[in-house]
Amino acid sequence: MRLQGKVALVTGAANDRSIGWGIARALADEGADVVLNDVSQADALEQRAAELRALGRRAAAIPADVTDPAQVNAMFDCAVRELGRIDIVASNAGIIRWQPILETTPQNLQPVVNVNIKGNVYVCQAAARQMIAQGTGGRIIITSSVQADVQFTINPIYGATKYAMHIFTSSLALELAPYNITVNHIGPGWVPSALNDPTPDLQTAAGVERQRQAVPLKRAGEPYEMGRAVVYLAADGDYVTGVGIRIDGGLSIGKY
Amino acid sequence: MADLQTKTALLIGKSLSTVAGITRELQAAGMEIVVGHTPEDAAAAAQITSRTAPLTLNDPAVLDAEIAAVGSIDIAIIAPAWFKAVRFLDSTLDDWDAALHGNFESSVYALRAVGKHLQAQGRGGSILVLSSVAALSAHKDLSVVATSLAALHVPARLAAVELAPHGITVNVVVMGWLPDAWSADYLNADSQPLLEQATPMGRLGTFADLASVCRLLASPDARYLTGVVLSVDGGYTLHKASTPAPR
């Protein structure tokens, strides 16, 4: 239990198939107390928190929209009030809209940019300010995607927001290093979360099988496996900053 | 590259200093230039060249028609518009909105519009998206610029995939540091020697350096070259470990 006494905040964690919940469970299994966030699904979020309390952890469920800085700041205030401090932030909330680049519309582009870029900006700004005020360093882990590197033709804006998080991560790592705050990102591959339910390539059994064959390790990843990478960065990654860890079963190393 | 002399390039960008610098170089190479600009920049754009086109960069439906109305083009160059040096911890919501709109969103719509236009013309073409070394390696105080520019690389590469069957290439040209009003906030008398020192070739770039790469990528010589991110930076990105921290 290497994270005993630490408090983590995870955004996008309400759905029980989500990467956010996988991260929260992995952190809790190492002893961390956890603040769970999502934009809605307050009941599900409260249920997730109850599951963590059943493990003996302190947990708080705080719904907030990460695209609204006032709500993000209120969430951090509330989290600190309830659990005392914030040591680890997994800025994980994300959305996806499939649309070819030549058909991209503001209706599709703007929500993806708002959640996947601005949401991370607001959460990371609030996280950094809280960690600096505490004066004991911190760990920020942003959820990127294999789609930052392996691009899907009908998903340019999602890929754009995830790729942008790589330079965002290293820029923050540079600025926050003097405070002993590390900033890294994880790159999940194919994970059967709700976010992937509308994925066009995964709508048929044949499509899922093609996807499975495209992964060198021949299976989808589990949300908990994404969480283990976060645990590494939070618990062991004292000297690791400004980098990304892909957890994709090898999906991104070859095309066929 | 004599065959460029009959070519027309459409330059799109709110950063008119950059557009002007490239225009001068491409005109010197014999190319016909059309400057696409926002309505409020009409007078400034007219100072650059005689052929100008007002563009509505925040509304793709309108923009598609405006680009089509420009008429025959062979090359489109999309230049980023927003630059500001600011600490991440001090960056404001307005900074992020302006950067993401000016560098990413409006460039995506420009990419979409010129892609459709070149496709409709049916004779191939070349699209260049300009970016900065700031999008490739972390620089002090440039998290906002870097994030908004890096985001653009992915749509450019995916446009390369979508437009390849039509003989249209799409590439990202990453500019090293060059004296320009666009980046004057970062590139100043204090920082210039440090940035020169961090460049293996020992000097900042020029618009001639940038334009020469644009000409290469736009020429038939580069017809099989698509979807790349090409740095024209005197080796600066090789050297990022010693990148200094101006200001």
Side-chain angles (χ1 to χ4, degrees):
Chain A
M1 300 259 266
R2 290 167 300 158
L3 293 173
Q4 205 123 36
K6 302 285 186 189
V7 179
L9 182 150
V10 185
T11 64
N15 190 294
D16 64 356
R17 296 158 55 210
S18 66
I19 289 175
W21 176 231
I23 292 170
R25 278 184 296 143
L27 291 168
D29 282 347
E30 288 294 342
D33 298 325
V34 182
V35 180
L36 298 165
N37 156 269
D38 214 304
V39 63
S40 55
Q41 308 172 69
D43 292 347
L45 204 59
E46 192 47 59
Q47 195 182 327
R48 300 285 91 76
E51 291 173 51
L52 296 185
R53 289 186 200 110
L55 294 173
R57 303 293 165 267
R58 294 187 302 154
I62 308 179
D65 182 349
V66 295
T67 69
D68 179 349
Q71 290 190 41
V72 170
N73 292 334
M75 169 175 75
F76 274 84
D77 289 347
C78 178
V80 171
R81 220 167 30 243
E82 292 199 22
L83 296 184
R85 53 187 294 109
I86 299 287
D87 304 288
I88 301 155
V89 168
S91 188
N92 164 79
I95 61 168
I96 202 163
R97 299 277 187 276
W98 298 84
Q99 195 172 49
I101 180 70
L102 294 184
E103 292 163 28
T104 300
T105 58
Q107 292 72 26
N108 262 17
L109 179 146
Q110 285 166 357
V112 177
V113 168
N114 286 345
V115 178
N116 296 8
I117 296 182
K118 291 185 199 171
N120 280 319
V121 168
Y122 304 154
V123 168
C124 290
Q125 221 168 29
R129 286 172 180 157
Q130 176 60 29
M131 289 168 179
I132 290 169
Q134 290 169 184
T136 51
R139 301 284 175 263
I140 296 174
I141 299 101
I142 295 169
T143 300
S144 175
S145 165
V146 73
Q147 289 202 31
D149 304 305
V150 182
Q151 286 136 25
F152 290 70
T153 48
I154 56 171
N155 211 7
I157 305 306
Y158 180 82
T161 61
K162 295 301 184 178
Y163 180 67
M165 285 303 105
H166 294 191
I167 188 72
F168 178 72
T169 294
S170 41
S171 300
L172 265 58
L174 194 63
E175 184 168 323
L176 299 176
Y179 307 101
N180 195 27
I181 298 169
T182 66
V183 190
N184 295 288
H185 60 83
I186 60 166
W190 170 34
V191 175
S193 61
L195 180 127
N196 257 325
D197 286 346
T199 300
D201 287 349
L202 300 176
Q203 296 308 305
T204 63
V208 171
E209 179 56 19
R210 266 196 306 278
Q211 180 64 44
R212 201 178 69 79
Q213 291 301 332
V215 180
L217 289 179
K218 302 299 179 205
R219 65 175 177 85
E222 294 298 328
Y224 194 81
E225 293 175 306
M226 310 304 128
R228 292 300 302 169
V230 173
V231 165
Y232 164 72
L233 291 168
D236 296 320
D238 296 1
Y239 199 59
V240 180
T241 196
V243 304
I245 301 178
R246 283 188 199 139
I247 315 114
D248 68 351
L251 177 61
S252 57
I253 57 178
K255 203 160 186 175
Y256 300 105
Chain B
M1 288 183 271
D3 39 7
L4 280 175
Q5 282 179 4
T6 56
K7 304 278 188 189
T8 300
L10 170 64
L11 272 66
I12 301 173
K14 283 188 252 182
S15 171
L16 291 181
S17 62
T18 310
V19 168
I22 299 168
T23 296
R24 276 195 307 275
E25 296 296 331
L26 296 183
Q27 282 175 334
M31 290 172 68
E32 170 89 6
I33 305 295
V34 184
V35 169
H37 57 84
T38 56
E40 59 269 26
D41 284 341
Q47 302 281 313
I48 298 172
T49 191
S50 56
R51 284 192 68 189
T52 61
L55 301 176
T56 308
L57 289 170
N58 60 0
D59 186 341
V62 176
L63 183 63
D64 286 355
E66 289 169 339
I67 297 278
V70 167
S72 175
I73 62 168
D74 306 284
I75 298 144
I77 301 176
I78 299 168
W82 191 90
F83 192 101
K84 179 177 169 183
V86 59
R87 288 181 83 212
F88 172 67
L89 290 168
D90 299 332
S91 62
T92 65
L93 310 187
D94 286 347
D95 290 334
W96 283 96
D97 284 345
L100 289 167
H101 184 75
N103 287 347
F104 178 64
E105 186 174 353
S106 59
S107 298
V108 167
Y109 300 148
L111 181 60
R112 170 192 138 130
V114 296
K116 285 183 167 189
H117 184 47
L118 288 171
Q119 192 178 322
Q121 288 184 169
R123 49 185 171 81
S126 173
I127 301 172
L128 305 179
V129 175
L130 304 188
S131 181
S132 160
V133 288
L136 297 185
S137 64
H139 289 68
K140 184 172 179 288
D141 297 341
L142 295 186
S143 63
V144 189
V145 175
T147 303
S148 60
L149 288 176
L152 195 49
H153 294 198
V154 172
R157 293 173 66 183
L158 292 181
V161 176
E162 276 195 45
L163 293 168
H166 304 281
I168 300 162
T169 63
V170 186
N171 293 290
V172 177
V173 179
V174 168
M175 302 184 280
W177 296 109
L178 61 86
D180 183 358
W182 182 68
S183 55
D185 197 21
Y186 192 74
L187 189 57
N188 51 42
D190 292 335
S191 67
Q192 184 161 336
L194 297 171
L195 292 166
E196 284 168 351
Q197 216 175 10
T199 305
M201 285 190 174
R203 65 170 175 87
L204 300 185
T206 64
F207 282 115
D209 295 324
L210 176 59
S212 69
V213 171
C214 293
R215 276 159 46 207
L216 168 68
L217 292 175
S219 85
D221 293 341
R223 63 186 173 274
Y224 200 58
L225 201 166
T226 196
V228 305
V229 177
L230 189 62
S231 300
V232 48
D233 66 356
Y236 178 83
T237 41
L238 295 172
H239 213 65
K240 64 184 173 187
S242 66
T243 297
R247 283 160 43 96

